[in-house]
Structures are given as structure tokens and as C-alpha cells.
Amino acid sequence: MSAALLSAGALLSGCSDVTQALSLDPGGVRPDSPLARQAVAASRASYPTPRLADIPATPKGLAPASAIKSSVIRMIGERRTLNDVIFALPPAQTDTDRFLASTRDRLAARPLTPPPEDQPALTAAFADQARALIQTPPPPAGTPPRP
């Protein structure tokens, strides 16, 4: 029963050769494959064998594993703290009409009055009065005045 199911599954999956699909042998290169010529050439090529002297030396000045471990643990702790802060934030405002209505309600509840029409003149008069009251301090005792 299971062999029949495997054969039916292989046929349904598009395999044209059931024996090849069920075989555990990796087999050779299929001659009808577009990469057959390159695969055969690569299998017959002789590549240089590396020598032990070609292996680079161990780099110097690397941080010990304990230092790397402690920095990774610290970074994970910081990430968890950041995630906790992010999850504690209130949800983002997505209903703009409700936000606008609540803002208008808060502004309407305040007793705000518009500035008078002559506000620029009042501000200029206040600035002139403040300038008249401000005088330069006298020089410290014992120092000659600057020219």
C-alpha cells in the first residue's frame, strides 16, 4: 500500500521516472541536463590541494569570549528594556476625527480671548518702557574705565 502511495505521489509531483525518484543512489550526471557538460568538467578537474602552511595564523588582539558574552548579555538586556518601554506606550492615534474633536473640546473649555487689535503697539510700548528702566551697571571699584 505504501509503495503504491509513493509511486502515485511521485507521478503526481511531476517525476517522469519513478525508479529514479525512489532510488537512494545519487546516480551520475543526466546527459539531458543543461549543466551536464559543466558538471562532468568540474568532476574531472584537478584543483590544487591546500597546504597547512597556507592556513593563516590566528589573529592577535581579539576580545576574549567572556567579554563578548558579557556585551551580548548587556545588549539583550537593553533590547528587552526597550521592548518593555515600547509595549508600555499608549496606542497610536488612528482616528483623526475623534482626536480633532477631543482637542477642540479641550480648547473650547479654556477661557481664551484673542489678543486686542493694538497688541503690536502695546508690545512696542512695553519694550520701550523696559529699555528705559535698564541702566548699565557702574564699573567695579578699583578698575580704570575702558576707553
Side-chain angles (χ1 to χ4, degrees):
M1 178 72 178
S2 65
L5 286 175
L6 278 172
S7 298
L11 287 174
L12 289 176
S13 67
C15 295
S16 61
D17 189 2
V18 177
T19 58
Q20 184 181 2
L22 296 177
S23 173
L24 297 177
D25 180 32
V29 176
R30 292 179 49 186
D32 57 338
S33 169
L35 300 176
R37 184 175 297 139
Q38 294 172 358
V40 170
S43 68
R44 292 183 180 157
S46 62
Y47 297 101
T49 305
R51 299 175 302 144
L52 288 177
D54 295 338
I55 298 174
T58 305
K60 304 291 185 215
L62 296 177
S66 60
I68 295 172
K69 180 181 177 182
S70 65
S71 67
V72 168
I73 290 172
R74 181 181 44 79
M75 189 173 17
I76 290 171
E78 290 172 355
R79 184 190 67 209
R80 287 180 179 164
T81 303
L82 177 64
N83 286 340
D84 291 343
V85 169
I86 290 171
F87 291 138
L89 290 173
Q93 290 284 345
T94 56
D95 187 3
T96 54
D97 293 331
R98 191 178 79 209
F99 173 74
L100 181 62
S102 69
T103 305
R104 282 185 181 156
D105 293 343
R106 281 185 273 154
L107 288 175
R110 293 183 177 177
L112 300 175
T113 57
E117 292 293 327
D118 61 341
Q119 184 63 47
L122 293 173
T123 304
F126 174 77
D128 292 338
Q129 184 183 10
R131 283 189 201 100
L133 294 175
I134 297 174
Q135 297 179 7
T136 57
T143 57
R146 293 185 180 172

